[in-house]
Amino acid sequence: MPDDWTPTRSFAGTSGYALTFMALATSTGESRYEAAMHAFIRTAARLEDRPHLGLFGGISGLRAVTALAARLEPRYAGLVAQCDRYIESNVPQPFVLPASFGEFDVIGGWAGIRLARCIDGPREADVSTHALAWILDDEWRWCCVHPVRGGAPENDLGLAHGAPGMLAAMALTLDDPARAHETLARAAREIASHAYERDGITWWPYGVGATDPPRAAWCYGIPGVASALYAAGRALRDDALAAFGVRALEGLERVADADSMIDEANICHGRIGNALTVASVACTAGSAALQRVVERYVVAGLDELEATGGRCMSRQDDGAKHDTYNELTGSAGIVLALLTLAGEFDGAWMRGHALNPIS
């Protein structure tokens, strides 16, 4: 990573680096990687700023990683409890109309907060799930101006910022999904209804009514949306919905990277992220086609890394690609995902990406 990096608590920052070194320590047994994990956790825990609550932008990222690290060092349970107390004492009012996606999405909002709390498995409903259910129950409550694209308010259909992420956060974390059956079923039907067919392949636009060329990645498009529908189908015991998600993912076998705006290797909108997302469904769906899709994306991602000499290059605001190191869009995430796909690290961390963990 660069010498001038800025420490943060988030999943996409310092805590994410700790997670990658945790995976390396687990896989190799080398003490230097465990020492690096502890060093990054200490750095994140000692920051003196008033933290944001989000998963990829704040203290929920630290909460998620320390909960996983407690498996190696039980004393981290105290830090987990400290994070929980801070989050619980600073959560906003749950039933206030959101002003932006960041108030409810996986990246910075209620969905990410819930996923962090349940990084190690489903739990009882809480203020996060109540807020998510309230927002999902009325499409106007999740109609906001996109934080990057701007423009008119829209209903986002990406896993990172939109309804699929909220749906997955509830489906993957509720200990009894039956209690939210109506909300989950209605949201899943709404998301599924915006799919369209092109050359026999199921696609989703960026948002309701959008006509821009679709991306097919974790953050937007087929992989993330279909995996959320599959998770909801399993939680609802709706075989037809789960099968619809599987069929949509199987269509990726006939989608070239160039046609889905995939030209990087990272988790967020790259080939390794697609492999991880499809694998989250393939691990339980029993589809040979999905296994082939996973292998194709892994090979393509590794080929790209070989071509760049192992550097993870991601396109930045200036339109050019630069070396990127973090968990969401950089090399830390690629290492973490590859170790998990290879069976060298527990997939529990994948809940932080609104994905069903690979067991």
Side-chain angles (χ1 to χ4, degrees):
M1 67 185 64
D3 294 333
D4 61 349
W5 72 286
T6 301
T8 66
R9 293 180 179 83
S10 78
F11 223 52
T14 307
S15 295
Y17 293 126
L19 182 59
T20 296
F21 282 110
M22 188 192 312
L24 286 165
T26 301
S27 174
T28 66
E30 293 190 25
S31 59
R32 59 179 176 144
Y33 292 132
E34 185 171 345
M37 176 197 77
H38 293 309
F40 276 109
I41 290 176
R42 285 195 300 270
T43 297
R46 291 172 179 173
L47 293 175
E48 296 182 355
D49 62 304
R50 181 175 177 80
H52 186 275
L53 300 183
L55 177 56
F56 285 92
I59 199 166
S60 287
L62 177 61
R63 191 265 178 228
V65 172
T66 49
L68 297 175
R71 299 175 179 181
L72 298 177
E73 174 47 78
R75 286 180 293 182
Y76 279 127
L79 182 54
V80 174
Q82 186 178 345
C83 290
D84 283 340
R85 287 194 296 272
Y86 180 86
I87 294 167
E88 289 165 7
S89 63
N90 288 277
V91 291
Q93 291 295 317
F95 306 122
V96 175
L97 195 66
S100 73
F101 297 159
E103 294 182 31
F104 57 72
D105 66 14
V106 171
I107 300 299
W110 287 112
I113 292 170
R114 173 65 181 182
L115 291 165
R117 182 168 186 253
C118 302
I119 199 73
D120 48 4
R123 293 173 179 247
E124 71 286 349
D126 62 8
V127 65
S128 297
T129 54
H130 298 325
L132 291 171
W134 182 78
I135 294 166
L136 281 170
D137 279 342
D138 187 333
E139 65 178 8
W140 292 108
R141 294 171 186 161
W142 51 280
C143 186
C144 302
V145 174
H146 192 280
V148 176
R149 292 197 300 271
E154 62 185 62
N155 289 99
D156 193 284
L157 290 175
L159 187 69
H161 291 298
M166 293 188 282
L167 176 69
M170 294 184 68
L172 293 171
T173 68
L174 284 170
D175 61 350
D176 184 6
R179 296 177 182 173
H181 187 283
E182 185 176 347
T183 293
L184 291 172
R186 184 189 305 112
R189 288 195 302 269
E190 171 73 13
I191 294 164
S193 73
H194 294 292
Y196 64 92
E197 296 292 317
R198 190 179 74 182
D199 299 327
I201 296 167
T202 302
W203 295 82
W204 276 270
Y206 291 110
V208 175
T211 58
D212 293 339
R215 186 194 292 274
W218 170 80
C219 57
Y220 280 101
I222 303 168
V225 179
S227 71
L229 292 177
Y230 179 77
R234 294 190 72 205
L236 294 167
R237 298 182 181 178
D238 184 334
D239 293 341
L241 178 61
F244 176 66
V246 171
R247 287 195 302 273
L249 289 171
E250 288 176 338
L252 289 168
E253 195 168 25
R254 294 177 284 124
V255 177
D257 292 354
D259 294 332
S260 55
M261 300 175 64
I262 297 295
D263 67 348
E264 300 179 12
N266 61 49
I267 289 181
C268 182
H269 46 265
R271 297 179 177 92
I272 299 302
N274 276 12
L276 188 73
T277 305
V278 176
S280 74
V281 174
C283 67
T284 55
S287 166
L290 292 189
Q291 293 292 350
R292 292 193 297 269
V293 171
V294 172
E295 292 168 8
R296 169 196 143 199
Y297 280 126
V298 169
V299 170
L302 292 174
D303 286 347
E304 178 180 339
L305 292 171
E306 183 175 0
T308 60
R311 298 163 65 191
C312 178
M313 309 293 289
S314 184
R315 188 167 284 104
Q316 306 298 320
D317 293 341
D318 62 2
K321 287 188 176 183
H322 300 274
D323 290 287
T324 312
Y325 305 93
N326 64 53
E327 193 270 356
L328 186 60
T329 61
S331 51
I334 292 173
V335 171
L336 179 60
L338 289 174
L339 287 173
T340 304
L341 288 166
E344 295 290 320
F345 188 55
D346 189 326
W349 66 273
M350 293 168 58
R351 290 190 187 90
H353 287 263
L355 299 175
N356 183 53
I358 298 170
S359 56

